[in-house]
């Protein structure tokens, strides 16, 4: 196990009190540890929460730090040089609902974060925890969006960043990391190869916080803020159903955890939210396990345009299965042509240009509706986790671009005669 500094020091991470093994329940002091020394299971942050009121949250900053009391971050977080993600719009999607035959549909639009994906949330929490734990470098293996968020957050905090990405990544995501002037390492191979290299590095470089490897328990907690915001924006209540894109699966698992915490704290009326996971057919290890009724997730080799979701060996896969089975949801997948159609449908009906992960979510929403697994009459939230401007290649061949006209009325009339 990697400890940044001696565990005898008491870390100030708000109401977080321990790391608990998700498999055997063993408890450990807060520190730079991510796996259980008893059973190698993954660790999760546990809290000792005081009573928390809606008023106290509503009086907080207009970003994820309004929920700082529910996160593993230092108490003076608002004063540290973190990014300020969150408070993204929950858009009522009436046009899309009509097109799909649904009664009430919302899109949680994560484009509004500092680097245009939900990854800014998890990175901000990881950064705050990593600094408190004594790390010096912020690092990650990434399918793209995480690299963007790490490079930006480290630049703002004035610390060094190092991001490892598959060499075949979309140009928008490569430039979206390189522009921040940290260390960018393209690696030949799949994300799973990049991830393996990062895990080896984390054993050697004791002052590097790989946000999704050795400080993963802290990082993952950041996704809870999506769930908190949805509940707050609905007037402190929970939706009936939610559809979440799945790569590692952490986002889905933590949104469910957030809903449970809010109900336990008495901040929302208790309600069962049915949680659904969405994968691309070209990388659907969790959907396959769900369909097969298995508890273990067999790794796959990804081949899909949805590169942000192309994790063939998802760390949280078994916990995604637990959540969807417990809540009456499902995990399903859709092929690349339907993913593109999903991107186009969200854009054409709601003016929201999401990335390929959004196309996956839309395509799977349609499939779940067609299969009768998702209730068209229940209030539903879907996550648009990233920005279409980063994955232009996915739609480039599918949008008809008209030829330029000369600047005269005749040519204009000829062009628009069909309109
Ligand atoms: C990383 C990512 C996801 C998946 O998140 P996990 O927590 O790994 O399941 C979904 N959408 C986008 C845009 C991402 O970048
Ligand atoms: Zn354990």
């Amino acid at each position: 196990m990697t400890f940044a500094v001696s565990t005898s020091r008491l870390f100030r991470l708000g109401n977080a009190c321990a790391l608990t093994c998700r498999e055997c329940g063993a408890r450990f002091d807060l520190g730079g540890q991510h796996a259980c020394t008893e059973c190698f299971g993954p660790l999760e942050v546990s809290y000792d929460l005081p009573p928390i009121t809606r008023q106290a949250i509503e009086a907080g900053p207009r970003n994820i730090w309004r929920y700082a009391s529910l996160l593993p971050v230092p108490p003076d977080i608002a004063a540290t040089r973190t990014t300020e993600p969150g408070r993204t719009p929950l858009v009522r999607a009436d046009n899309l609902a009509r097109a799909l035959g649904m009664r009430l549909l919302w899109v949680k639009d994560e484009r509004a974060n500092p680097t245009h994906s939900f990854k800014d949330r998890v990175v901000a929490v990881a950064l705050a925890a990593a600094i408190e734990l004594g790390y010096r470098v912020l690092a990650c293996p990434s399918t793209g969006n995480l690299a963007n968020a790490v490079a930006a957050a480290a630049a703002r905090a004035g610390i060094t960043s190092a991001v490892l990405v598959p060499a075949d990544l979309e140009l928008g995501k490569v430039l979206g990391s390189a522009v921040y002037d940290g260390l960018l390492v393209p690696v030949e191979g799949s994300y799973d190869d990049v991830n393996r290299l990062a895990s080896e590095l984390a054993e050697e470089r004791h002052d590097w916080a790989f946000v999704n490897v050795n400080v993963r328990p802290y990082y993952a907690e950041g996704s809870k803020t999506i769930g908190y915001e949805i509940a707050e924006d609905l007037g402190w209540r929970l939706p009936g159903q939610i559809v979440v894109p799945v790569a590692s699966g952490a986002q889905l698992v933590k949104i469910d955890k957030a809903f449970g915490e809010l109900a336990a704290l008495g901040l929302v009326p208790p309600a069962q939210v049915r949680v659904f996971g969405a994968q691309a057919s070209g990388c659907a290890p969790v959907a396959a396990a769900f369909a097969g009724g298995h508890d273990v997730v067999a790794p796959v080799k990804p081949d899909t345009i949805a590169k942000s979701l192309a994790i063939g060996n998802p760390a949280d896969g078994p916990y995604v299965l637990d959540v969807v089975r417990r809540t009456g949801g499902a995990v399903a997948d859709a092929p690349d042509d339907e993913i593109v159609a999903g991107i186009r449908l969200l854009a054409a009906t709601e003016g929201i240009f999401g990335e390929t992960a959004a196309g996956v979510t839309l395509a799977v929403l349609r499939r779940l509706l067609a299969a009768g697994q998702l209730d068209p009459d229940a209030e539903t939230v879907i996550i648009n986790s990233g920005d279409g401007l980063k994955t232009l290649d996915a739609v480039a061949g599918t949008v008809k671009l008209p030829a330029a006209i000369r600047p005269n009325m005749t040519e204009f009339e000829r062009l628009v005669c069909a309109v």
Side-chain angles (χ1 to χ4, degrees):
M1 294 311 108
T2 306
F3 290 94
V5 295
S6 150
T7 47
S8 61
R9 195 185 130 200
L10 273 181
F11 297 113
R12 293 161 51 254
L13 290 171
N15 294 317
C17 62
L19 294 172
T20 306
C21 176
R22 290 202 276 188
E23 291 299 320
C24 77
R27 277 167 79 92
F28 303 89
D29 289 340
L30 294 171
Q33 183 183 356
H34 63 104
C36 176
T37 49
E38 309 290 319
C39 77
F40 300 106
L43 302 182
E44 173 170 48
V45 178
S46 297
Y47 299 85
D48 191 1
L49 291 179
I52 294 169
T53 64
R54 295 175 183 174
Q55 291 74 14
I57 292 171
E58 287 166 355
R62 300 188 60 77
N63 52 56
I64 60 167
W65 304 127
R66 71 206 274 108
Y67 309 108
S69 59
L70 295 156
L71 297 169
V73 295
D76 50 355
I77 185 66
T80 53
R81 281 189 62 77
T82 64
T83 54
E84 296 177 346
R87 295 311 292 160
T88 57
L90 185 67
V91 179
R92 191 172 158 141
D94 287 342
N95 297 336
L96 179 58
R98 210 171 303 116
L100 297 173
M102 299 181 74
R103 188 178 61 80
L104 182 51
L105 180 61
W106 304 88
V107 179
K108 178 65 169 164
D109 189 3
E110 289 291 289
R111 291 178 306 166
N113 284 304
T115 67
H116 311 282
S117 87
F118 89 97
K119 291 295 198 309
D120 292 308
R121 299 173 183 271
V122 281
V123 167
V125 173
L127 171 77
I131 289 175
E132 174 66 15
L133 294 172
Y135 290 95
R136 214 177 43 77
V137 176
L138 201 66
C140 68
S142 169
T143 57
N145 284 317
L146 183 61
N148 296 173
V150 163
R156 179 162 165 76
I159 66 171
T160 305
S161 69
V163 302
L164 284 67
V165 297
D168 70 348
L169 209 56
E170 300 100 332
L171 184 62
K173 288 177 181 166
V174 174
L175 288 176
S177 294
V179 73
Y180 300 105
D181 257 354
L183 178 65
L184 169 68
V185 185
V187 179
E188 283 173 20
S190 69
Y191 171 78
D192 298 286
D193 297 319
V194 179
N195 190 35
R196 204 174 324 108
L197 174 59
S199 298
E200 287 172 31
L201 280 168
E203 297 291 324
E204 298 293 320
R205 306 224 163 209
H206 289 199
D207 56 356
W208 287 31
F210 284 86
V211 295
N212 51 342
V213 182
N214 52 344
V215 293
R216 187 174 180 85
Y218 307 96
Y219 155 95
E221 291 290 292
S223 281
K224 292 193 305 183
T225 59
I226 301 174
Y228 301 148
E229 289 179 10
I230 290 169
E232 187 177 349
D233 283 347
L234 290 176
W236 293 108
R237 57 182 187 80
L238 302 177
Q241 308 175 130
I242 186 164
V243 188
V244 185
V246 170
S248 77
Q251 182 187 181
L252 181 148
V253 169
K254 293 297 176 170
I255 290 174
D256 174 72
K257 182 181 183 186
F259 290 158
E261 285 177 343
L262 293 180
L265 286 163
L267 295 171
V268 297
Q272 183 60 269
V273 185
R274 298 175 69 206
V275 181
F276 294 84
Q279 296 206 291
S281 300
C283 182
V286 191
F290 180 80
H294 306 134
D295 293 330
V296 290
V297 174
V300 301
K301 203 170 172 335
D303 180 14
T304 170
I305 58 167
K307 293 186 179 163
S308 59
L309 301 185
I311 297 183
N313 189 12
D316 284 81
Y319 304 107
V320 169
L321 294 170
D322 288 348
V323 169
V324 301
R325 285 176 179 145
R326 171 170 49 74
T327 64
V331 188
D333 60 276
D336 283 1
D337 58 334
E338 292 181 26
I339 293 169
V340 174
I343 295 173
R344 301 290 305 276
L345 180 66
L346 181 60
T349 55
E350 297 298 340
I352 295 173
F353 184 16
E355 73 143 81
T356 44
V360 170
T361 305
L362 260 286
V364 166
L365 171 68
R366 279 172 135 169
R367 287 196 160 214
L368 291 167
L369 283 166
Q373 287 173 286
L374 195 121
D375 178 1
D377 293 320
E379 181 174 35
T380 304
V381 175
I382 60 174
I383 309 289
N384 170 33
S385 48
D387 196 320
L389 292 177
K390 291 192 198 179
T391 58
L392 289 172
D393 281 355
V395 291
T398 75
V399 183
K400 195 160 159 285
L401 299 177
I405 60 166
R406 279 192 293 271
N408 64 55
M409 296 295 283
T410 319
E411 292 224 353
F412 180 80
E413 293 299 340
R414 194 182 307 137
L415 182 76
V416 300
C417 64
V419 177

